[in-house]
Amino acid sequence: MKRNYSIDLIKTMAAFFVVAVHFLLNSGFYDQMIQTKLTFFWMMTRQVTITAVPLFLLCTGFLMNRKKLSVSYLLNLFPVLFLYVSISLIGWLRMVVMGEGVSLVDALFGILDYSTNTYSWYVEMYIGLYLMIPLLNLIWQANQNQFFHRYVVGVSLFLFFGPSLLNSFGKVVPDFWIEAYPIGYYFIGAYLFEYQEQFKKFKKTWLLLLIAIFTFFVLDVILDYQTTYQDFAGNQYNGFEPLIISFLIFVCCLRITVPKGFQLPIRKLSQWTLGIYLMSDVTDQIVYPLARIWLPTMEQRLIYGFAIILTSFSAAVLFSYPFERISEWLRRKLRSEQSVERKDQHVSSKIH
């Protein structure tokens, strides 16, 4: 099957967005009054970069909606666990070197409760989603007509994302299921896969994306002007802002043809996104203390924000490289063993 480099582009973009949105958390942006051009700019940047996790989830639905339960499917979770445990231990070594006084026992218990690595909540979420994917696919494939798929997506929008908009002035729809938003993004990603040719025909998607970003920017300015940045239901992962912007970014990228010269690096980066995501916790804990020394004022950090982001992102790519190579070896090993097993079963069935 021909490789879809548009998905590689989306995953690479999402990995960069992870590091970029964490700049706002680690730089002190959320403690600043929203009243200067710089704070307006970074507030708008946050609207785009907060789509990192939604984009990953949309890619998961796009790529995995045909997966079925098997032993080999379950075994493919081990490379993910390897990356999580090994990079978490690297994070613990950083804490030891920097004199933060965390024992190995505490680090190991922290791995079990997803706290040794600050960003490992994503792994906790993904493990559960991965185990549910064969079940979700039974739902998705139960009926192959578009009306049924629209119903599945419609229910997802209503239960997982609708409350962030419809309950803005009081509870009018059930909001019990909003924390199950990864399932919603998964089904939307599956829908994008199923009907991608229809979405590729939308020529004004970029215009819709710009309108959405500007509209939500104006809304956030109204809510936040001369105060610190305010979280509200609409700008969280289960909110209507990240949902709409991530969906439009995804559709825009489906229409992009990646030049041949960029295909190899984008493919590699897209394969290493989990390692980059997790390793960015380590690099952030190194880069931001230094940034506060070299750029002591908040205004300086905002001015040089993209330099800080690129430094942490590049370091995360570099440091995660050996772990991703081992993870790739594990995947190849599992695939080769699965291939041998299937051949043996095929020969055995012929004999009998």
Side-chain angles (χ1 to χ4, degrees):
M1 191 169 114
K2 187 177 178 182
R3 190 174 187 88
N4 190 332
Y5 286 99
S6 295
I7 301 302
D8 290 330
L9 176 63
I10 295 167
K11 290 175 67 179
T12 301
M13 188 185 306
F16 181 77
F17 284 178
V18 165
V19 182
V21 78
H22 287 154
F23 164 77
L24 302 176
L25 176 66
N26 294 313
S27 67
F29 170 81
Y30 292 123
D31 298 324
Q32 297 301 300
M33 296 285 284
I34 306 298
Q35 57 187 3
T36 66
K37 291 180 181 178
L38 272 174
T39 53
F40 289 152
F41 171 79
W42 283 104
M43 185 169 67
M44 183 178 287
T45 302
R46 192 259 185 201
Q47 290 180 326
V48 177
T49 56
I50 196 64
T51 62
V53 168
L55 287 172
F56 279 133
L57 292 172
L58 290 173
C59 286
T60 303
F62 190 96
L63 295 171
M64 301 190 69
N65 64 82
R66 293 293 189 269
K67 297 293 184 181
K68 295 181 180 180
L69 180 62
S70 64
V71 173
S72 61
Y73 176 83
L74 295 175
L75 289 176
N76 283 329
L77 193 55
F78 278 95
V80 173
L81 297 176
F82 164 76
L83 283 174
Y84 168 59
V85 172
S86 59
I87 294 177
S88 294
L89 290 174
I90 292 298
W92 168 71
L93 287 175
R94 179 207 60 82
M95 288 185 270
V96 171
V97 170
M98 298 181 75
E100 296 182 17
V102 178
S103 69
L104 177 59
V105 173
D106 289 338
L108 293 175
F109 277 108
I111 289 173
L112 294 176
D113 69 8
Y114 302 93
S115 63
T116 299
N117 186 297
T118 309
Y119 304 153
S120 62
W121 71 268
Y122 180 84
V123 176
E124 183 177 14
M125 176 275 293
Y126 183 76
I127 289 172
L129 180 63
Y130 189 89
L131 294 174
M132 285 193 293
I133 281 173
L135 306 178
L136 299 178
N137 290 347
L138 288 176
I139 296 172
W140 186 251
Q141 296 164 16
N143 192 319
Q144 289 300 306
N145 69 62
Q146 192 167 14
F147 175 78
F148 176 77
H149 288 157
R150 285 176 175 173
Y151 173 78
V152 174
V153 171
V155 170
S156 298
L157 292 173
F158 179 74
L159 290 178
F160 308 138
F161 306 103
S164 70
L165 178 63
L166 300 175
N167 290 353
S168 298
F169 302 101
K171 187 172 180 178
V172 295
V173 297
D175 61 2
F176 185 86
W177 292 90
I178 58 174
E179 295 304 322
Y181 69 86
I183 296 174
Y185 280 116
Y186 182 86
F187 280 135
I188 295 168
Y191 191 89
L192 285 163
F193 172 84
E194 208 75 49
Y195 306 103
Q196 58 186 292
E197 296 306 320
Q198 297 178 20
F199 287 107
K200 288 178 183 179
K201 295 176 182 178
F202 294 167
K203 296 181 179 179
K204 296 185 178 180
T205 313
W206 284 105
L207 178 60
L208 291 175
L209 175 60
L210 293 174
I211 291 171
I213 292 171
F214 179 76
T215 301
F216 297 149
F217 170 71
V218 172
L219 173 62
D220 286 1
V221 167
I222 293 171
L223 293 173
D224 299 339
Y225 185 62
Q226 292 190 333
T227 67
T228 56
Y229 187 87
Q230 303 297 310
D231 288 333
F232 75 105
N235 62 19
Q236 304 303 300
Y237 290 137
N238 51 22
F240 60 88
E241 289 187 6
L243 170 68
I244 292 171
I245 293 176
S246 62
F247 175 83
L248 292 173
I249 289 174
F250 198 103
V251 175
C252 286
C253 289
L254 283 179
R255 292 174 50 83
I256 294 175
T257 300
V258 178
K260 286 187 178 180
F262 291 95
Q263 288 179 358
L264 179 60
I266 286 177
R267 177 168 64 84
K268 286 298 182 183
L269 286 173
S270 75
Q271 292 171 340
W272 300 340
T273 51
L274 181 60
I276 294 169
Y277 191 132
L278 293 172
M279 190 61 78
S280 68
D281 176 55
V282 180
T283 59
D284 281 353
Q285 299 303 322
I286 297 171
V287 168
Y288 284 95
L290 294 174
R292 290 189 183 93
I293 295 171
W294 294 335
L295 304 168
T297 69
M298 188 68 228
E299 182 179 10
Q300 289 175 318
R301 292 196 290 275
L302 293 181
I303 290 172
Y304 293 101
F306 280 107
I308 297 171
I309 291 166
L310 284 169
T311 300
S312 186
F313 179 78
S314 301
V317 173
L318 181 64
F319 294 162
S320 65
Y321 174 76
F323 300 98
E324 285 289 359
R325 290 303 302 269
I326 296 171
S327 177
E328 287 178 357
W329 177 81
L330 285 173
R331 290 190 182 95
R332 287 196 301 269
K333 188 74 172 173
L334 287 170
R335 281 198 297 267
S336 64
E337 290 180 359
Q338 292 157 20
S339 178
V340 169
E341 183 180 345
R342 283 194 294 269
K343 287 180 181 177
D344 289 344
Q345 290 174 348
H346 181 66
V347 170
S348 177
S349 66
K350 279 188 173 182
I351 294 173
H352 293 293

